[in-house]
Amino acid sequence: MNKHVLYTKTQFKKEFARLMERTSIPDNLPPMETLMLYSKVWGFVSHHIPSKLFRFRKCSIDSFISFEQGTIPVCIADKFPDKYDSTVFYDNKSVDTRMREIYKLCIPDILKAYRNDPSSFPINSVTSKIQELIDLNQSDSIIETELWDVYKQSYNNWKRQIEKQQLWARQNKTTKIACFTETVTSKYMWDTYADGYTGFSLEYDFRNWRVSTKNTHAVCLFPIIYTSQKMDATEIIDRISGRIFLRNNFVDDTILQQYAQMYPVDKLYKLKTYLYKDKSDYAHEKEWRILDLEPLADKDADKEYSSIPDKGCLKAIYYGPDMESRYKEHLRMIAKAKGIKEYDVVLDRNSRKYNLKVIPLGKND
């Protein structure tokens, strides 16, 4: 794919969906190859960011302060009303079969490492059974068979890890989101996200936006991928959960490294989980999404809400047709101080179509 080819909006979104579906960045790749793949994705998107993206806001103290201070509020996915937002599919029906296959694959290396150095393993029901069978001079094949019943008790912890991974994206506090749309004249958006036409909308131009905030967060901007099915994360959740299980139960780093090399995790996965939404109910929103990726050491990494600077990307404000006059007067003072454009959004009384009109406001209005 030539990242400099400019597509129509529809073509771009189809190509972006294909790019994300077929691009994987295994975490065992060398740094330069990893960087090249990230650059391929970000470079493709950066050439197609719309000149205008809009965010609808209710009239509230928080939204007024954010507007005045030049920040963009972000929050975790679990705060969105759409309960399917940032969720993935996991094939629970075949989990036992897959776990048995992984057990057969990993247990020979675990037994080999245990025989070489039992002291490097924690004492638990699995390792105690291994030692008991070794003391009875049982072969590895017999140990593998008899150990399965003990292991099944332990692998309930693995299942709990899987459940956590299914909820991870919605509950993860180190990734926070801000949502935008491509149109300011959507009646649905004004009604739903601007408190029944009483709020306002802010226009941003992110085309030359720097991708890090003052706190050195990585900040990404992507279009939503609308689909009829959830993203299938079965394989990658198995791999992540397997690593956690091995780390918690078998401390030998060699085993964990071997497992990670054999079953790498796609680094793009933690971005992809936030980019898929139900096509039938939400495609009309034409959403783009900022992902604020906060490091664990950041002061806001354990919070559900935060904000990032808009870096001068705010270009205009649009006032809803039913906004209270006192709110509008206050927002207009801020807008004039910022030197941004102002518009009224009104119902078109002179047309048979169900359209909204945008009317520019001058300095003397």
Side-chain angles (χ1 to χ4, degrees), residues 332 336 339-340 342 360-365:
R332 292 209 68 186
K336 286 180 170 61
I340 64 173
E342 300 176 82
L361 297 179
K363 294 181 179 180
N364 299 321
D365 290 323

Side-chain angles (χ1 to χ4, degrees), residues 196-225:
Y197 293 85
T198 64
F200 58 100
S201 181
L202 298 175
E203 175 192 318
Y204 296 87
D205 182 354
F206 292 117
R207 288 176 298 174
N208 297 311
W209 194 41
R210 291 169 55 193
V211 293
S212 63
T213 74
K214 63 183 179 180
N215 295 321
T216 67
H217 302 172
V219 181
C220 313
L221 177 66
F222 294 112
I224 286 294
I225 299 170

